[in-house]
Amino acid sequence: DQPLTHGTFSSFRGSLTELYTEVPARCLPIVYSPEYNITFLGLEKLHPFDAGKWGKVVHFLKEEQFLTDDNIVEAREASEEDLLVVHTRRYLNKLKWSLVVATITEIPPLLFLPNFLVQRKVLRPLRTQTGGTIMAGKLAIERGWAINVGGGFHHCSSDKGGGFCAYADITLSIKFLFERVEGVSKATIIDLDAHQGNGHERDFLEDRRVYIMDVYNRYIYPGDGYAKRAIKRKVELDWGTEDQEYLQKVELHCEGALNEVRPDIVVYNAGTDILDGDPLGGLAISPQGIIKRDEIVFRAARRRGIPILMVTSGGYQRKTARIIADSILNLQRQGLTLRFARSRGRESGAMA
């Protein structure tokens, strides 16, 4: 494995933030907060999304004694100042209207609720997950890998939300790294959610520092032709694509993407809505196929000494949380969550 050769954190470039604090060495680079989960008078059940899946992932990882309350990194909510690194003030002001949030989250009854409740019960969890992605970006550079148990809001761009995505956490994590971490000037997004990641694509359309690979069902939402121009490696799938074809394409194009451009960070959008039976994804990948897919992406990055940040993104079935947990455990078993020893220029054997 190649060494990690990134610069040190700059003392200060950009606005003040509480998201780039030091993390104790005892912690794994896995970011989560109980605040991620959306529980609000049962309204969350009106969207096909399992709005408590993030907590279930952590529960399973604790059951397996991989995580404890003491070794997980507690996510912090992204502040308005943090969000303004990417978002326009006009867009953030729009979120003060319950109608706008109801449209973005696809939960129509939110329209009838006072906005302070919508902020507290729906947007605060999404802002906390967004903070988690930004925090995990810094951790990935420090440790060689990091996972935000939430995040992956890849339909949101600087001035437009949609598809349950209210904040552009992928764009934010990359912009934070570019602005605040010396030696990080190129990023590759590998988006393997079943849907096209049109939010980050619109944000980075004119930015040559960011290489985007996107593998998605060509027939489903959002079908954003304008955003597709940002995709450097586009893999459009047909209805019902199964494991063998899918994994061959993922491996071929992951290797190709990282051979074409060597980035300073890989942001991996690991949506599980590719699972067979997902009501929105339209693909037919098995649980074992998802676990193998995540292993392929991590192996491609780790073998090259490139830090990788994983976010969990879409996944609309009740069994999704177990699959995500099993995949993280598999990454550990495969030795893909070893810490890079940056100072010595090779991997150490310490789990971190």
Side-chain angles (χ1 to χ4, degrees), residues 269-331:
N269 197 48
T272 44
D273 52 359
I274 63 170
L275 182 65
D276 189 20
D278 188 276
L280 301 180
L283 303 176
I285 309 306
S286 70
Q288 296 74 24
I290 290 173
I291 291 166
K292 184 64 181 174
R293 172 199 70 171
D294 294 349
E295 182 185 325
I296 286 168
V297 179
F298 261 70
R299 202 174 291 284
R302 300 306 307 263
R303 194 167 61 240
R304 291 169 172 81
I306 302 167
I308 181 167
L309 157 60
M310 171 175 151
V311 290
T312 57
S313 201
Y316 301 90
Q317 297 185 73
R318 299 288 164 184
K319 52 190 165 185
T320 294
R322 178 81 247 183
I323 297 167
I324 294 168
D326 286 344
S327 181
I328 293 170
L329 293 168
N330 179 64
L331 294 174

Side-chain angles (χ1 to χ4, degrees), residues 55-68 322 325-326 329:
K56 291 172 190 169
V57 172
V58 170
H59 171 75
F60 291 135
L61 292 173
K62 285 179 175 177
E63 275 192 337
E64 300 289 339
Q65 295 173 340
F66 178 68
L67 282 183
T68 66
R322 178 81 247 183
D326 286 344
L329 293 168

Side-chain angles (χ1 to χ4, degrees), residues 319-349:
K319 52 190 165 185
T320 294
R322 178 81 247 183
I323 297 167
I324 294 168
D326 286 344
S327 181
I328 293 170
L329 293 168
N330 179 64
L331 294 174
Q332 181 205 15
R333 279 195 299 273
Q334 299 296 327
L336 296 170
T337 58
L338 294 171
R339 180 171 184 165
F340 281 124
R342 300 170 74 210
S343 58
R344 294 199 303 274
R346 58 188 175 85
E347 278 194 358
S348 75

Side-chain angles (χ1 to χ4, degrees), residues 209-234:
R209 299 172 297 176
V210 180
Y211 181 106
I212 298 173
M213 166 179 155
D214 201 347
V215 182
Y216 56 89
N217 182 339
R218 71 172 78 217
Y219 298 111
I220 61 173
Y221 175 90
D224 189 337
Y226 178 78
K228 285 180 186 179
R229 298 188 304 158
I231 305 172
K232 301 292 193 300
R233 193 168 282 259
K234 179 172 63 180

